[in-house]
Amino acid sequence: MAHAAGTARHGEATSVIAEAERHVAATLPDPHGVTFRNVAVHPMDATSVVCGEMAPHNPPAGGVFMKFGYVQGQDDPVIFSGREVPQKVEFNEVNSWLNDSIKLEDLEEMGCVPRGTYHSYNERLNKVMSQRKQFGVN
């Protein structure tokens, strides 16, 4: 599989990608079955950032690939679920949705998703959240 190397030499890019894929896979219950796609490296603030998409073992056709970003030398990659904002967010899911939107903001700052991605996603999420009644009583 060919990976874009940005300004890094090919060997360096390959090792950074391998490091990123190891850390991303380790976040899943079955780290050996992860499928990666659209993986690329770019320089940022004197280090390398790896961006791409991943899916758990045997993703279904048309299945959701989660976007990820990884800063070289860090332990915790940023992984965004990729789920669409629903019509309604259940009370017990509010924190999960807010945390997920923060991950998308991080990916934008890392250069892994286009500028404005977080803003439009967050606007949709805020609209759904604002339709909730106070204290989660719907």
Side-chain angles (χ1 to χ4, degrees):
M1 178 182 336
H3 294 290
T7 58
R9 290 197 329 255
H10 182 70
E12 291 174 16
T14 302
S15 71
V16 173
I17 288 170
E19 176 184 328
E21 289 179 351
R22 249 190 341 271
H23 282 283
V24 170
T27 65
L28 297 174
D30 179 12
H32 302 292
V34 181
T35 301
F36 291 96
R37 71 178 187 189
N38 302 326
V39 180
V41 179
H42 67 268
M44 187 173 105
D45 299 333
T47 191
S48 293
V49 174
V50 178
C51 301
E53 298 176 330
M54 63 85 128
H57 188 62
N58 293 329
V64 173
F65 274 76
M66 297 176 273
K67 294 192 180 301
F68 73 86
Y70 173 78
V71 177
Q72 183 178 16
Q74 300 286 317
D75 288 334
D76 299 320
V78 175
I79 301 171
F80 173 67
S81 71
R83 57 190 178 165
E84 286 295 318
V85 176
Q87 296 289 323
K88 181 178 178 181
V89 173
E90 298 300 326
F91 179 72
N92 60 347
E93 296 177 353
V94 169
N95 285 341
S96 170
W97 282 97
L98 293 175
N99 289 336
D100 213 29
S101 80
I102 290 167
K103 291 175 184 176
L104 184 59
E105 182 179 28
D106 290 345
L107 288 178
E108 186 172 311
E109 289 176 10
M110 295 166 82
C112 293
V113 296
R115 287 262 169 235
T117 302
Y118 165 74
H119 181 74
S120 62
Y121 183 88
N122 203 41
E123 276 189 348
R124 289 191 308 273
L125 184 58
N126 283 337
K127 183 177 180 187
V128 170
M129 297 286 197
S130 71
Q131 294 168 353
R132 301 179 50 74
K133 294 188 172 123
Q134 195 170 8
F135 307 115
V137 179
N138 294 345

